[in-house]
Amino acid sequence: MHSVLTGFLPIWAVTALGWLGGRYRLLGDGAQHVLGRFAFTFAMPSLLFLTMSKSHVGDLATAGVGVFAASLVAVFAAGLALSRWVFHRRQADQAIGAMCAAYVNSANLGIPVAVHVLHDTSFIIAAALFQMLFITPLILVLIDLDTHRGTGDIWPRMLRLPFRNPVIAASAAGLVVAAFGKGDSLPGELTSPLQMLGGAAVPTALFALGMSLNARTRTTPEGRTERRLLVALKVAVQPALAYVLARYGVGLSGHALFAVVMCAGLPTAQNAFIFAAEYDLDTDLPRDTVLLSTLLSMASLSLIAYLLA
């Protein structure tokens, strides 16, 4: 238990330093974007390729991954219903609301948690693959059909999506290498620069995440109610549901149960804000949900570790 909580200390410390750097603009106005893109495009893919190249592909098809997927889909559906029938949002904004309620931050925060707390990235990679291969296309289809931005090539674009995402592409490449059993025989000329870049993944992602927490929130009373409900779904309901399904549905215990609940309890991914901005939708709700769920997750994830580690 002590080692698990100790694993959170560098995560929160580097995130806090990022917040300070952003608060006082120590690295300039564009630093958050540059650091985030560096981590997403180069550092994390390098780390994930090396990790997945030495993994066992069959380990990804587990009961724990199925439970995580079920809890995500259930909460996603709840968020979609809430946005549609309670707050009467248009279809595109319904998709963003559902994403805010269920889509976990498997990269900027998930990977650091997997490295320092779970000591294994295979589960978070499986979670990220499920999100990117199944949930992301669903979200984009719902948005695209509503905004009529499609040009007739929506399905080819959906099929190309995983390969345009460097995190997913690098993970998939690592799985191919692992499937052929070549992970331990890769040349040093390839692995050495990847190891250098991969070493920067966790601190860079956490620093950029901390900088993003300086965003100011502004919303209406109805918007605040919607935001609170979506944050509650993300931070409390989703990990609780994952626990019930994992513990009593498939009988998981120990580290396997811990990994499922921890990953389900990760805060809302920043992709929700990025998608909303890309399609000229309401960006206040996803920005506020990302901010609040990330702040609250510092307590909720620590509580999960305390109870289940």
Side-chain angles (χ1 to χ4, degrees), residues 72-83:
L72 191 156
V73 170
V75 175
F76 184 91
L80 201 63
L82 190 69
S83 294

Side-chain angles (χ1 to χ4, degrees), residues 113-135:
V113 167
V115 171
H116 288 280
V117 179
L118 299 177
H119 306 294
D120 180 11
T121 60
S122 60
F123 190 90
I124 196 64
I125 296 307
L129 286 170
F130 172 76
Q131 289 193 145
M132 289 302 302
L133 294 177
F134 296 100
I135 303 302

Side-chain angles (χ1 to χ4, degrees), residues 171-228:
S171 300
L175 287 175
V176 171
V177 173
F180 286 96
K182 301 296 184 179
D184 294 320
S185 59
L186 293 173
E189 293 81 3
L190 172 64
T191 58
S192 292
L194 292 180
Q195 287 171 349
M196 293 179 66
L197 285 170
V202 171
T204 304
L206 288 176
F207 200 91
L209 179 65
M211 295 184 76
S212 72
L213 299 181
N214 286 283
R216 295 182 178 180
T217 63
R218 60 184 188 280
T219 186
T220 64
E222 184 181 40
R224 286 194 291 271
T225 300
E226 183 178 12
R227 179 186 65 189
R228 289 167 184 157

